[in-house]
């Protein structure tokens, strides 16, 4: 294939733009913010679950406290009724003994219930504190997630800008490259990653391999408008004064 040396040199600019576009694409997929966001999402989920668990035990404790209070109220009502009957003075001596016995039992029961209630309330207080702590932790995790997402979006916006600039450069280069040469470039790039590179100091810029004497003399003997490729990697080798021929 033949192409004017100036046209061949345009391939180097095209290769630069394509290499930069590949770097942008790679960077887009490997932004550190992406792993940071994944970790932050796990953290938020874990902390939200913890908060839900605390909320559930708080609801259970509240229910238990209410039940305990109702039971205490019932015992007190029964005590009041017994005291009322005693104060009435109309009960028989047998009923009197029974009532006094029942009152003593009720009072013991009330004490036990009140002790249990106190313990329940202490537990509830501790769980409420856990809940406050969990709320703060969750807010912190959510903030970290928002922050990481914001930084990711900023990084992506920068990459979009860089990509648009490189694509515009590339579009401007294309009309200056004949179709068959571009197709050769594009095919090599699709297979090897780099379509064209500078032959510098006898070394292929794409695969970095130093060309042997026979390859160098073959290239040196080729007319300047002959398109030559690297025997190792297939990249189009663009010759300039730096090529060491
Ligand atoms: Zn090569």
């Amino acid at each position: 294939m033949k192409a004017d040396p100036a046209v061949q040199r345009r391939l180097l600019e095209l290769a630069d733009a394509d290499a930069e576009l590949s770097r942008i694409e790679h960077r887009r997929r490997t932004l550190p913010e992406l792993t940071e966001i994944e970790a932050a999402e796990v953290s938020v989920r874990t902390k939200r679950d913890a908060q839900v668990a605390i909320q559930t035990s708080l609801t259970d404790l509240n229910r238990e406290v209410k039940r305990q209070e109702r039971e205490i109220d019932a015992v007190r009502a029964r005590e009041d009724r017994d005291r009322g009957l005693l104060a009435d003075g109309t009960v028989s001596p047998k009923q009197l003994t029974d009532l006094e016995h029942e009152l003593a039992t009720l009072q013991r029961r009330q004490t036990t219930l009140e002790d249990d209630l106190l313990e329940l309330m202490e537990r509830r207080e501790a769980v409420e504190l856990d809940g406050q702590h969990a709320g703060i932790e969750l807010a912190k995790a959510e903030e970290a997630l928002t922050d990481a997402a914001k930084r990711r979006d900023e990084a992506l916006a920068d990459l979009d800008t860089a990509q648009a600039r490189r694509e515009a450069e590339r579009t401007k280069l294309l009309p200056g490259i004949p179709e068959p040469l571009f197709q050769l470039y594009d095919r090599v790039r699709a297979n090897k990653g780099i379509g064209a590179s500078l032959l510098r100091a006898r070394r292929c810029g794409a695969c970095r391999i130093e060309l042997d004497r026979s390859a160098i003399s073959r290239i040196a003997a080729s007319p300047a408008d002959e398109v030559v490729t690297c025997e190792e990697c297939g990249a189009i080798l663009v010759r300039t004064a730096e090529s060491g021929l």
Side-chain angles (χ1 to χ4, degrees):
M1 191 182 296
K2 300 254 176 204
D4 188 86
V7 170
Q8 290 189 39
R9 280 197 293 275
R10 279 181 207 140
L11 287 180
L12 292 177
E13 290 175 62
L14 184 63
D16 273 352
D18 280 335
E20 184 59 22
L21 284 168
S22 299
R23 276 195 290 274
I24 289 168
E25 201 39 50
H26 179 257
R27 178 127 177 84
R28 199 184 284 284
R29 287 194 310 269
T30 56
L31 281 178
E33 283 82 4
L34 296 177
T35 33
E36 208 185 317
I37 285 170
E38 255 175 62
E41 280 171 345
V42 170
S43 171
V44 165
R45 237 182 348 258
T46 310
K47 282 167 174 131
R48 202 167 277 155
D49 288 351
Q51 210 191 29
V52 167
I54 289 169
Q55 202 53 53
T56 306
S57 48
L58 205 55
T59 308
D60 291 348
L61 279 168
N62 278 330
R63 195 184 303 121
E64 268 187 77
V65 164
K66 284 221 171 65
R67 192 176 47 78
Q68 199 77 358
E69 282 170 345
R70 273 199 306 274
E71 208 168 328
I72 291 170
D73 285 347
V75 171
R76 280 195 188 130
R78 181 92 187 180
E79 286 175 45
D80 288 347
R81 190 203 65 132
D82 286 0
R83 283 201 197 89
L85 286 172
L86 283 176
D88 243 8
T90 54
V91 292
S92 68
K94 166 130 184 26
Q95 281 175 313
L96 187 73
T97 315
D98 286 351
L99 279 172
E100 278 170 346
H101 182 74
E102 188 181 86
L103 258 178
T105 307
L106 286 170
Q107 271 158 10
R108 278 199 302 277
R109 173 94 183 116
Q110 188 185 336
T111 306
T112 307
L113 287 172
E114 281 171 351
D115 287 350
D116 289 352
L117 178 62
L118 203 65
E119 200 193 303
L120 272 175
M121 286 165 115
E122 277 166 1
R123 264 166 61 198
R124 184 171 66 177
E125 205 173 316
V127 173
E128 275 169 354
L129 274 177
D130 285 350
Q132 282 170 21
H133 182 68
I136 292 166
E137 289 296 303
L138 176 61
K140 267 195 232 165
E142 282 171 340
E143 201 180 302
L145 177 58
T146 308
D147 178 63
K150 186 168 161 260
R151 280 184 283 109
R152 173 204 55 196
D153 292 346
E154 284 165 1
L156 287 178
D158 287 349
L159 289 174
D160 285 346
T161 308
Q163 184 179 352
R165 198 172 55 231
R166 288 299 182 173
E167 274 168 356
E169 281 174 18
R170 195 178 187 278
T171 307
K172 230 187 277 174
L173 284 168
L174 289 183
I177 300 164
E179 189 59 26
L181 183 62
F182 175 75
Q183 275 176 7
L184 172 65
Y185 167 88
D186 209 38
R187 199 166 55 240
V188 177
R189 189 171 78 94
N191 290 332
K192 307 283 180 180
I194 300 176
S197 71
L198 179 62
L199 175 64
R200 178 186 281 144
R202 304 178 175 217
R203 204 174 278 276
C204 166
C207 65
R208 307 281 171 193
I209 287 174
E210 192 175 338
L211 277 66
D212 62 27
R213 201 174 294 274
S214 70
I216 287 295
S217 35
R218 174 180 62 87
I219 292 169
S222 306
D225 64 348
E226 183 72 34
V227 176
V228 296
T229 55
C230 171
E231 283 174 350
E232 291 296 330
C233 71
I236 297 168
L237 286 172
V238 179
R239 288 166 284 171
T240 70
E242 294 175 66
S243 298
L245 293 169

